[in-house]
Amino acid sequence: MRITFRQLLVSCVTMASLVSVSANAQDNKAAPASSKGSSTTKASATSRHSNSSSPGPSVLGQFTPSVEEISVTTHSLSATGVTNRTPGGGLMPHQTAPRSQSGVTRDFIAKQSPSSNITSLVADLPGVTVSSQDPYGMTGDHIQMRGLNETQIGYLFEGAPLADPINYAPYTSTLVDTENLGAVTVSQGSPDLNAPFYNAVGGQITASALNPSRKAGGFIDVAGGTHSFNKEFLRLETGNIGNSGIRGFVSFSHTSYNNGARGPGGLFRYHVDSKFVKEWGDGNSISAMFSYNRQQATSWRSPTMAQWKQYGVGFAYSPTFSPGNASYYKLNQQNLNQQLVVVPMHFTLSDHLHLQVTPYYVHQFGPSLGGENIPASGGYYGTQQYGNLDRGTVVNGNILTSSRDPWNQKTGGLNTSADWNISRSNTFSFGWWYAYTTHEELSDFTPVNANGVGLSGGVIRLNGKILSGYDLNFMQQVNTLFIADTQKLLNDKLTLSAGFRVAMVSRQGTNLIPGADPYKMQGNYFEPLPQFSASYQITKQDQIYINGTTSFRAPESVEAYSQIFDPNSAHAVMQPQSLKPEYSISEEIGYRHQDKLYNFAMSLFNINITNHQVTSTGYIPGTNMMVASPINIGGQTSRGVQAEFGLARWHHFSPYVSGQFLHSTFDNDFNTGSGLLPTAGKIAVGAPKFTAAVGLNYDDGHFFGNFDLRYVDSQYTTFMNDQKMPSYITSNIALGYRMNSYGRIKHPQIQLNLTNLGDNHYLSGSSYTSNAKAHLTSTGATANASAPVYYVGGVFAAMVSLSTGF
């Protein structure tokens, strides 16, 4: 466990300082605010249940939680949307779902770095482990819950599934600016029955944007910090447009920073959000959310354990160019571009019938760039050898090129559901989801100039055809149907729900590279998914529940179906596997207490997975291009307990504690192709035994602060448990001062965010391999060693932001 005395000392001193400073501020405050949210600091003129764009209530009694602060008005405690109504400083909102469920509200979100993405904001919740790579929380969505990662978790934004529908990467930094994010809810273990997913064996993350204000105005936020960080954000609110009942907002932001201690290069991002809402009658509403994202960043270089011990955080791409240097940082870039439209609609057709309809469209595209030396002659286009290229500068028989992957993906979908209240105590629900996806991916190579300042001519062609390692055209169709019934008994204290969903996924595609076998690939999956839950309201404050759920995940990534070639190899460097869909059966029993003083929740869980697919991310041999390869490890069993506690505001303080114990093991020996490795009973990869978080929030209306400390236990990174990632501890702090309003200037404030106090250098996540040391298989053959590569955690960063409403 690599936790130094310095890191512990810095964290403890920081917490003590926050308490001391906050207490002093309390003694000297000029305009006190109610510690429990009195009428002088009410959240909004709208109802607490007025998030018209949130998904409708799901069946099985799993309701999307009402958000205490979903639209910012001039009556709020701050222009950022803070109301101080949520226990735990915004980390423990009221929940009613008969399953493990946690969340964050504006009380917490507004006090985090304005660069944070959805994934980084839920890192304090029980059982959630976030693998940060940059200190500002903008790149990477690597997350683990109960031994499962982000590709096994469903992401829902404004009622639509907006993660990549093929490799399941969520890319949450492309969805919404933090200033426009209303709330995030995490369901550990199981998704809603009517949620539009076919990968959520590990749970669900639901996010929603702020609703537009009913009054015209806006919000501005500017920030600067270490590593040349800067962000400029502006939101303009229309208010109610005449008597139309329509209101909306449009926002724009620019963000950039350099990588600092992590090497040369950096990131820039341009982002636009727009949301308009129309509400009428009893529960009728139409929302329209549009988002555009343009983002480019230098790729993070992932070390092996040996490279980490040698170079530490300095393991990076080369800052200077030399002929043949494929590791030059300007050749290794990631572009994340996205356009999305979501239109959630809710209709009250009668007193007994409610309809939810959510059409959506999302366009995601690259390119990803990596430097690579390819043979000047005698290389390969698929399995065909080529002659002289007569292009570029030849160094040691190779030509340095920019290897480009201009992936292009478009998805359109429609999710519908209806709730029929047969009687006061019985509700029947049914629905249908359809989605269509196209994916194109044609890699190419362009020679780099001798001085490294640019590219030489166009892409390399052979007899008119683009030299490529893969030429993929992929299509996917999804249909799911569900029915469910919810019955309330014993004066509505007992709620019983049962439902059944059937998911149908059809995939097909081609690889046009010469020698590709198979040339055409396809996969068809049909999965029945029953669910059941029961909850009992012992008192108004106490609830117990039990549930049994099933989920499945279709194989991840195009690479699961198609070969990958490279000019340096006469045969495919990555071979597809015959993968079966992953299927999970999970059970939970839990208890929660919620009152005016504190909230407490605890649950016991068990998850059994068959055909468990572990994603191994690695570099194509001899290149800087990383690809994800799914591996079927067989069965996996995960059992544990999680708990969280949040105190309502007491003398302006609100603490929070969460933790989880997890025991996750492989059920089968691993087939290497040449024999079995004895992995049955080994601890599963990416499954830390203990995780915990402590938070302390202070807010007296003017002075405010937030401190959190996170601990993640060590975790194995190979199936044979012969290499593991050390445990680590990180802590963050926010301090600020909020002023009174001055005319049209609403609650201007200054905020300081410090991340990774003590500058802890640590590994935050990894890819996975079968064995890091050579082992004999059941047939006596040798399974050669294969080293995992690791994500390096973000270093220390400081940021100051100035914001105000108007």
Side-chain angles (χ1 to χ4, degrees):
M1 172 173 158
R2 295 186 175 181
I3 303 171
T4 67
F5 175 76
R6 179 190 67 168
Q7 293 155 8
L8 284 173
L9 180 62
V10 169
S11 298
C12 293
V13 169
T14 302
M15 180 177 278
S17 299
L18 176 59
V19 173
S20 176
V21 170
S22 302
N24 181 67
Q26 180 183 346
D27 293 337
N28 295 282
K29 61 186 180 291
S34 171
S35 62
K36 294 184 180 179
S38 67
S39 59
T40 60
T41 58
K42 62 183 180 181
S44 170
T46 61
S47 166
R48 290 180 57 173
H49 298 272
S50 65
N51 183 8
S52 63
S53 66
S54 292
S58 75
V59 294
L60 303 183
Q62 300 170 1
F63 293 90
T64 300
S66 60
V67 180
E68 295 181 4
E69 176 61 24
I70 198 64
S71 59
V72 180
T73 75
T74 56
H75 297 287
S76 300
L77 178 64
S78 75
T80 60
V82 172
T83 64
N84 290 331
R85 292 173 178 261
T86 309
L91 284 164
M92 204 166 178
H94 186 83
Q95 307 288 353
T96 60
R99 63 179 177 189
S100 299
Q101 188 161 284
S102 310
V104 297
T105 68
R106 287 299 300 175
D107 285 352
F108 178 80
I109 296 170
K111 294 172 184 175
Q112 307 311 300
S113 165
S115 61
S116 303
N117 64 18
I118 292 171
T119 298
S120 65
L121 289 168
V122 299
D124 288 335
L125 301 182
V128 177
T129 302
V130 174
S131 301
S132 169
Q133 294 190 80
D134 76 83
Y136 295 112
M138 291 192 64
T139 58
D141 282 283
H142 304 293
I143 188 173
Q144 296 162 329
M145 295 195 311
R146 299 182 178 179
L148 303 173
N149 68 14
E150 68 278 357
T151 68
Q152 294 153 314
I153 298 168
Y155 276 77
L156 203 67
F157 178 65
E158 291 288 302
L162 294 180
D164 186 307
I166 298 175
N167 71 19
Y168 309 130
Y171 305 132
T172 62
S173 67
T174 68
L175 297 179
V176 64
D177 269 314
T178 308
E179 292 86 347
N180 294 331
L181 184 61
V184 184
T185 300
V186 176
S187 303
Q188 301 97 332
S190 63
D192 289 338
L193 186 69
N194 66 345
F197 301 131
Y198 46 89
N199 70 305
V201 294
Q204 174 179 325
I205 295 180
T206 304
S208 57
L210 290 169
N211 268 351
S213 173
R214 298 181 183 276
K215 294 186 177 181
F219 179 78
I220 187 170
D221 186 11
V222 294
T226 55
H227 314 302
S228 300
F229 177 89
N230 68 90
K231 179 175 183 178
E232 302 82 37
F233 172 88
L234 174 65
R235 180 175 67 234
L236 299 176
E237 304 266 6
T238 67
N240 289 325
I241 302 176
N243 296 320
S244 66
I246 299 173
R247 65 188 192 277
F249 70 73
V250 178
S251 72
F252 169 81
S253 72
H254 163 262
T255 311
S256 67
Y257 64 78
N258 64 51
N259 289 344
R262 292 293 311 280
L267 171 146
F268 73 81
R269 172 182 181 264
Y270 296 96
H271 188 86
V272 174
D273 285 329
S274 176
K275 183 176 182 180
F276 285 80
V277 175
K278 163 70 174 179
E279 296 172 329
W280 74 96
D282 182 16
N284 298 291
S285 67
I286 297 177
S287 300
M289 179 81 185
F290 168 80
S291 178
Y292 167 82
N293 193 82
R294 167 77 177 98
Q295 181 174 311
Q296 178 177 299
T298 304
S299 302
W300 299 112
R301 199 173 186 189
S302 299
T304 62
M305 184 62 73
Q307 291 167 330
W308 167 251
K309 291 178 179 178
Q310 181 178 358
Y311 299 105
V313 297
F315 185 74
Y317 289 106
S318 175
T320 57
F321 177 80
S322 59
N325 182 11
S327 295
Y328 182 45
Y329 78 98
K330 289 186 178 180
L331 299 179
N332 297 277
Q333 305 282 334
Q334 294 288 331
N335 289 267
L336 282 178
N337 304 303
Q338 180 167 278
Q339 303 158 0
L340 67 89
V341 179
V342 186
V343 186
M345 296 178 280
H346 305 272
F347 303 106
T348 301
L349 303 181
S350 71
D351 291 341
H352 301 284
L353 186 60
H354 301 268
L355 175 68
Q356 296 88 37
V357 181
T358 304
Y360 64 93
Y361 170 80
V362 58
H363 180 200
Q364 299 169 326
F365 54 101
S368 301
L369 305 172
E372 181 176 358
N373 284 294
I374 67 172
S377 65
Y380 292 87
Y381 174 34
T383 58
Q384 296 179 359
Q385 191 170 27
Y386 60 75
N388 294 324
L389 292 180
D390 297 325
R391 294 282 305 277
T393 302
V394 180
V395 178
N396 297 324
N398 292 318
I399 298 172
L400 177 61
T401 66
S402 172
S403 174
R404 190 173 70 114
D405 177 11
W407 58 279
N408 186 28
Q409 187 169 270
K410 301 174 183 178
T411 300
L414 177 67
N415 190 28
T416 63
S417 62
D419 297 302
W420 177 25
N421 299 321
I422 299 174
S423 66
R424 190 190 67 82
S425 61
N426 184 243
T427 300
F428 179 74
S429 302
F430 55 94
W432 169 61
W433 170 46
Y434 175 78
Y436 182 85
T437 298
T438 60
H439 179 95
E440 302 167 353
E441 202 165 355
L442 170 61
S443 69
D444 57 48
F445 300 88
T446 304
V448 178
N449 287 339
N451 57 7
V453 298
L455 305 181
S456 177
V459 300
I460 297 175
R461 294 178 180 268
L462 300 172
N463 299 321
K465 294 184 178 180
I466 293 175
L467 175 63
S468 176
Y470 40 91
D471 184 359
L472 307 174
N473 290 276
F474 199 78
M475 182 273 289
Q476 172 179 280
Q477 291 191 81
V478 179
N479 280 277
T480 67
L481 299 167
F482 81 89
I483 58 172
D485 190 77
T486 300
Q487 180 74 48
K488 292 183 176 293
L489 304 169
L490 304 179
N491 295 322
D492 293 345
K493 289 187 175 183
L494 176 63
T495 302
L496 301 175
S497 298
F500 184 83
R501 183 164 72 110
V502 58
M504 296 160 281
V505 180
S506 174
R507 292 172 168 174
Q508 64 180 21
T510 58
N511 188 353
L512 301 181
I513 296 298
D517 183 20
Y519 147 75
K520 185 175 183 179
M521 57 280 193
Q522 62 182 9
N524 294 287
Y525 311 98
F526 178 92
E527 295 292 341
L529 303 168
Q531 292 191 15
F532 168 80
S533 72
S535 66
Y536 185 76
Q537 202 70 35
I538 304 171
T539 69
K540 290 183 178 180
Q541 295 79 29
D542 300 277
Q543 178 192 13
I544 57 173
Y545 60 85
I546 186 171
N547 65 62
T549 61
T550 59
S551 300
F552 99 106
R553 184 180 75 150
E556 171 199 351
S557 80
V558 176
E559 287 79 15
Y561 303 89
S562 181
Q563 294 171 313
I564 302 297
F565 294 87
D566 188 81
N568 287 284
S569 177
H571 52 79
V573 296
M574 183 166 292
Q575 196 74 24
Q577 300 185 41
S578 179
L579 295 175
K580 297 180 180 179
E582 193 172 42
Y583 195 89
S584 73
I585 301 174
S586 62
E587 303 89 23
E588 285 183 326
I589 182 170
Y591 164 79
R592 61 170 59 100
H593 174 90
Q594 301 173 120
D595 63 23
K596 295 181 179 179
L597 298 178
Y598 69 93
N599 285 359
F600 172 76
M602 182 178 72
S603 65
L604 302 171
F605 58 85
N606 177 73
I607 305 174
N608 295 102
I609 302 179
T610 57
N611 295 311
H612 180 38
Q613 298 162 26
V614 174
T615 303
S616 177
T617 303
Y619 292 100
I620 296 176
T623 77
N624 292 311
M625 298 294 287
M626 295 191 76
V627 293
S629 176
I631 301 172
N632 190 334
I633 188 61
Q636 179 171 316
T637 300
S638 299
R639 293 171 178 152
V641 57
Q642 70 176 55
E644 61 180 334
F645 171 85
L647 192 66
R649 308 205 72 77
W650 180 75
H651 294 286
H652 310 302
F653 286 96
S654 185
Y656 174 82
V657 179
S658 71
Q660 176 181 270
F661 168 80
L662 173 68
H663 181 68
S664 185
T665 57
F666 292 131
D667 298 337
N668 305 102
D669 292 337
F670 176 65
N671 189 348
T672 65
S674 60
L676 299 176
L677 284 174
T679 56
K682 299 285 188 183
I683 300 298
V685 294
K689 181 173 289 187
F690 296 102
T691 56
V694 177
L696 179 64
N697 181 270
Y698 175 88
D699 196 327
D700 68 6
H702 289 301
F703 288 97
F704 62 89
N706 188 84
F707 173 82
D708 68 88
L709 183 145
R710 303 163 188 162
Y711 169 77
V712 178
D713 208 350
S714 61
Q715 46 194 303
Y716 288 107
T717 56
T718 63
F719 306 157
M720 285 295 293
N721 290 177
D722 55 5
Q723 190 170 115
K724 66 179 178 179
M725 190 177 74
S727 59
Y728 62 89
I729 188 170
T730 59
S731 56
N732 308 309
I733 191 171
L735 296 170
Y737 182 77
R738 186 182 303 118
M739 306 174 203
N740 293 326
S741 298
Y742 301 93
R744 290 191 58 86
I745 305 300
K746 308 300 181 184
H747 301 292
Q749 73 173 40
I750 182 171
Q751 180 172 309
L752 170 68
N753 286 95
L754 304 175
T755 61
N756 191 3
L757 296 172
D759 195 22
N760 184 13
H761 293 178
Y762 65 101
L763 297 174
S764 64
S766 75
S767 69
Y768 308 115
T769 65
S770 58
N771 51 294
K773 301 176 182 178
H775 290 273
L776 292 178
T777 68
S778 59
T779 63
T782 299
N784 295 323
S786 178
V789 296
Y790 293 86
Y791 309 130
V792 177
V795 296
F796 169 80
M799 178 196 305
V800 175
S801 56
L802 302 172
S803 63
T804 186
F806 59 88

